[in-house]
Amino acid sequence: MAKQLLKGNVAFAEAAVRFGLQAYFGYPITPQSEALEHLSGRMLREARVFLQAESEVAAINMVYGAACCGVRVMTSTSGPGFSLMAEGLSYIAGSEIPVVVVNMMRGGPGLGNIQPSQADYFFMTKSAGHGDFHPIVLAPASVQEIIDMMGLAFELAEKYRTLVLIAGDGSLGQMMESAELPPMQPLPALRPNWAVTGADGREPNVITSLYLVAEHLEEVNLRLQAKLADIRQHEVRFVEAQTADAELLLVAYGTSGRICTSVMRQARQKGIKVGLLRPQTLWPFPAQRIGELCEQVRGILVVEMSAGQMLEDVDHAAGGRVPIRFHGRMGGMIPMVDDVLADLQALATSLGLAP
Amino acid sequence: MPDEPRASDYKSDVKPIWCPGCGDYAVLAALMRAFAHLRLAKENITVASGIGCSSRFPTFLDTYGIHGIHGRVLPLATGIKLGRPETTVIAVGGDGDGFSIGGGHIPHAARRNVDLTYIVMDNNIYGMTKGQPSPTSPEGIVNKAAPYGAQEGPLNPILLALSYDVSFVARCYSGKIKELTDVLIEALKHPGFSLIQVLSPCVTYYNTYDHYREITQPLPSSHDPTDRLAAIALALQTETQYLGIFYRDSSRPSYGERFDAVRAKAPQTTLAAIFEGLKR
């Protein structure tokens, strides 16, 4: 397929169709409504299901229902809508069914605004609903990566029967850039054997998150935790650049990660030996690799569009071995290369590394 | 008696950001006129809203105001009214906010009969998110999120409100500001929950001015607004959209009154007595 100019929201929606999305349920919210609009026509032309729900609560429960039937299903939203979905996300996690949700983060808390943000990090990685669970959280940094991660999201969701979230932000959803879509893939021929498909000739499948007996629920909890441990071991993904000789390390994801690529390039021109680690999975988090790099680098600068949320995971991974600085913008503001570079230079100077 | 306040006294210094020609301007003007007519003190008014173009409303008024959560204006307004019963509380929002995501709250406001005036500016479209079908869009409407036409039929807000037994139900049209003002005055005076559907066209994504000019007409002068069955029969006529007060029952106690009556039955006690009780 040739590259074409694509808007992030349209790109992930179209990629989902090509990766075999069978049903989409959503509710309009800026800055991701273009995805819903794209799918409103596209899904119908493919004779698949599209429905604009009456709320995000309805949307996530429609997703829940379709997923129980073994249908490849997703929804997409932004901050406030994602908050509304939290109850459903918890039930989906407890029921162990594959579901993909895209959250194009916007400024918060509350109504906030419709500008890009990364302030849903805690919410998405650590507390997307009540109870003990973590979704897999993927963090794309370009339109191409959103496309690629849609395929990965469905794959991981179905492999582990788990909730997969894609943590985008308003700028990724709204920006247009050149990207390549995958070819159209065939829909799954069979529905999975755990799904509710009619119990003719077999034992009924029961999908539930209700276990009234404490011992039973604890068994389920332990099984869920074992699955999460498996995911933690096998599904950590990140991009590393120029770390071989790095004395300083930038850690940033998504849009901030992309900005830090420019910061790194300019810092290198100034003679600062800096590398970049950009997590592509926020959960599971590349804590081990950051820990390893702490044996090599002298300091870390974390950059986020938040008050410092991933910062806590980096801090935990570093375990006090190197100083950590933070550069954060909030309210829909995007970090500027010059400002991050200034903080990086200050860190270098404080460590006696300035050229 | 002091001079009647002017409508403009209730205006804040924030200029409305609605599109030129939006029906919501007329609703804002009519509500300020109604405030002036009733000589309401600005400091005794709270206007609460949800999310959507029309929910920008409180910003443009020099009264108390809260811009709340999408679909949750009725619980929000209920909290305000119970917290400050002496204030006049107005809830505002659009058709998406009120009838879609927030639709589940209307029957409960109705059965409580909280003393609120709920103004729904119904433009039959999601305007703020740029034109997706709303719960009052006609079936088959073609727009960005329904390129081959919406499958769902529209809700009938007046019929719903009457079925929920809302104690004051009216429909207005923002193209008829005098009648709108008169209905709002009556709604503000009503001692209970009032729901006013205002047909308030969106000039940008779904311009219905010509349509509503054609199909609206005043309720028959013979209509008795205490006759709920007659009101329901008129609400069922959707080819003609009747304007005016469909139903009004002023005899029903409001939630506040009922709350006071029930609270009077609860025995008075002191903290010391509660602790004493725990000892036994």
Side-chain angles (χ1 to χ4, degrees):
Chain A
M1 296 295 254
K3 285 198 170 185
Q4 52 188 308
L5 195 60
L6 287 165
K7 191 172 197 168
N9 285 332
V10 174
F12 85 72
E14 178 58 26
V17 173
R18 294 178 183 219
F19 284 119
L21 178 70
Q22 289 167 291
Y24 175 92
F25 305 94
Y27 187 76
I29 187 167
T30 312
Q32 69 74 53
S33 295
E34 294 86 356
L36 175 138
E37 287 167 1
H38 180 75
L39 292 168
S40 67
R42 191 71 175 89
M43 292 294 271
L44 265 59
R45 288 196 293 277
E46 292 296 326
R48 302 183 195 171
V49 173
F50 166 87
L51 193 154
Q52 181 187 310
E54 63 272 33
S55 68
E56 287 89 354
V57 175
I60 195 67
N61 281 283
M62 289 171 185
V63 164
Y64 187 16
C68 288
C69 301
V71 167
R72 192 168 288 168
V73 60
M74 69 174 287
T75 185
S76 55
T77 186
S78 183
F82 189 69
S83 289
L84 262 189
M85 291 181 181
E87 184 187 40
L89 298 178
S90 173
Y91 279 63
I92 286 164
S95 303
E96 296 183 81
I97 49 170
V99 162
V100 173
V101 181
V102 178
N103 177 14
M104 287 297 174
M105 292 181 273
R106 53 186 253 183
L111 189 52
N113 61 23
I114 56 174
Q115 321 299 337
S117 163
Q118 296 181 319
D120 298 350
Y121 179 93
F122 283 151
F123 187 18
M124 296 182 78
T125 60
K126 300 179 197 299
S127 63
H130 60 279
D132 268 318
F133 75 97
H134 289 281
I136 294 174
V137 185
L138 305 176
S142 65
V143 172
Q144 185 63 57
E145 202 168 30
I146 303 180
I147 292 170
D148 299 342
M149 281 187 177
M150 280 314 303
L152 178 64
F154 289 124
E155 185 188 315
L156 294 175
E158 287 165 23
K159 177 178 176 186
Y160 292 101
R161 284 176 59 183
T162 194
L163 181 61
V164 178
L165 307 178
I166 294 185
D169 64 62
S171 58
L172 279 174
Q174 295 296 321
M175 72 162 67
M176 292 185 83
E177 60 182 345
S178 174
E180 186 177 351
L181 286 160
M184 200 72 175
Q185 293 180 12
L187 294 180
L190 292 173
R191 285 195 276 170
N193 60 7
W194 52 261
V196 180
T197 57
D200 194 13
R202 63 159 168 81
E203 285 298 300
N205 287 334
V206 177
I207 297 175
T208 184
S209 66
L210 173 70
Y211 300 91
L212 287 173
V213 178
E215 286 84 350
H216 294 174
L217 181 54
E218 191 177 44
E219 275 173 33
V220 173
N221 288 144
L222 288 168
R223 184 162 47 76
L224 273 174
Q225 292 303 313
K227 178 157 80 179
L228 295 179
D230 194 22
I231 293 171
R232 218 189 278 253
Q233 197 180 341
H234 294 106
E235 305 301 346
V236 174
R237 286 172 169 78
F238 54 88
V239 169
E240 213 174 297
Q242 306 205 30
T243 47
D245 64 342
E247 295 174 326
L248 294 176
L249 182 67
L250 285 157
V251 184
Y253 70 94
T255 295
S256 300
R258 196 177 165 135
I259 291 161
C260 284
T261 308
S262 302
V263 173
M264 178 178 66
R265 200 179 306 128
Q266 293 193 17
R268 284 271 169 183
Q269 281 166 6
K270 290 177 188 292
I272 300 173
K273 288 181 179 171
V274 60
L276 168 67
L277 188 140
R278 177 169 71 79
Q280 291 170 300
T281 51
L282 302 182
W283 200 96
F285 189 71
Q288 190 185 332
R289 182 58 190 146
I290 290 172
E292 287 163 9
L293 286 168
C294 285
E295 300 296 330
Q296 171 196 325
V297 301
R298 301 269 307 279
I300 295 177
L301 179 64
V302 177
V303 182
E304 289 179 79
M305 295 191 289
S306 77
Q309 300 193 11
M310 181 182 71
L311 174 64
E312 292 191 7
D313 285 333
V314 176
D315 199 29
H316 189 254
R321 280 172 286 186
V322 296
I324 298 174
R325 300 279 184 275
F326 176 67
H327 183 99
R329 295 301 301 269
M330 291 179 283
M333 299 300 292
I334 295 178
M336 293 288 114
V337 171
D338 288 350
D339 296 341
V340 181
L341 188 59
D343 278 4
L344 190 71
Q345 282 174 306
L347 175 61
T349 305
S350 73
L351 295 168
L353 297 173
Chain B
M1 192 135 180
D3 288 345
E4 184 172 300
R6 287 167 307 162
S8 58
D9 293 347
Y10 297 90
K11 204 155 104 185
S12 80
D13 48 16
V14 179
K15 201 166 166 261
I17 40 82
W18 295 315
C19 305
C22 173
D24 297 353
Y25 284 102
V27 184
L28 182 64
L31 186 63
M32 293 191 294
R33 288 181 197 177
F35 288 160
H37 179 83
L38 294 169
R39 299 170 184 268
L40 297 180
K42 289 195 273 192
E43 60 273 23
N44 284 336
I45 303 171
T46 304
V47 181
S49 70
I51 300 296
C53 292
S54 54
S55 288
R56 303 298 291 259
F57 217 87
T59 320
F60 313 134
L61 288 165
D62 193 25
T63 63
Y64 286 103
I66 297 186
H67 192 182
I69 295 178
H70 192 30
R72 311 304 162 201
V73 67
L74 289 178
L76 179 69
T78 298
I80 295 165
K81 185 64 188 175
L82 297 189
R84 293 291 300 272
E86 71 281 13
T87 55
T88 299
V89 183
I90 295 113
V92 299
D95 41 315
D97 196 74
F99 304 136
S100 190
I101 191 164
H105 296 298
I106 298 173
H108 304 288
R111 69 192 184 86
R112 294 189 182 108
N113 201 31
V114 189
D115 188 6
L116 302 173
T117 304
Y118 183 28
I119 305 169
V120 185
M121 283 156 265
D122 186 353
N123 60 7
N124 316 104
I125 201 84
Y126 281 90
M128 180 163 268
T129 52
K130 301 185 179 177
Q132 299 84 11
S134 90
T136 56
S137 294
E139 184 170 350
I141 189 175
V142 172
N143 57 35
K144 277 195 221 162
Y148 308 110
Q151 302 97 317
E152 295 99 333
L155 289 177
N156 181 333
I158 298 295
L159 187 60
L160 270 179
L162 289 166
S163 329
Y164 290 150
D165 205 9
V166 174
S167 60
F168 182 109
V169 180
R171 184 192 284 133
C172 301
Y173 170 42
S174 63
K176 295 207 181 292
I177 190 165
K178 166 75 175 66
E179 292 82 349
L180 170 61
T181 308
D182 291 344
V183 168
L184 290 178
I185 289 168
E186 293 306 308
L188 287 165
K189 288 187 334 200
H190 176 70
F193 182 50
S194 53
L195 187 152
I196 305 99
Q197 177 198 15
V198 186
L199 306 173
S200 182
C202 172
V203 284
T204 304
Y205 295 107
Y206 191 47
N207 193 335
T208 50
Y209 275 112
D210 288 344
H211 176 66
Y212 282 134
R213 207 168 292 129
E214 250 169 56
I215 69 157
T216 54
Q217 57 169 281
L219 281 164
S221 55
S222 59
H223 176 58
D224 170 10
T226 64
D227 184 344
R228 191 158 155 231
L229 272 179
I232 286 173
L234 289 163
L236 281 167
Q237 293 186 35
T238 49
E239 301 288 302
T240 300
Q241 295 274 303
Y242 286 112
L243 304 177
I245 299 168
F246 279 70
Y247 182 65
R248 161 151 59 176
D249 175 4
S250 312
S251 67
R252 223 182 288 175
S254 71
Y255 186 80
E257 291 169 89
R258 285 192 267 188
F259 185 75
D260 288 344
V262 171
R263 189 162 52 183
K265 291 185 203 165
Q268 298 287 314
T269 189
T270 62
L271 205 55
I274 292 170
F275 285 134
E276 195 57 33
L278 292 173
K279 283 182 190 166
R280 277 175 226 126

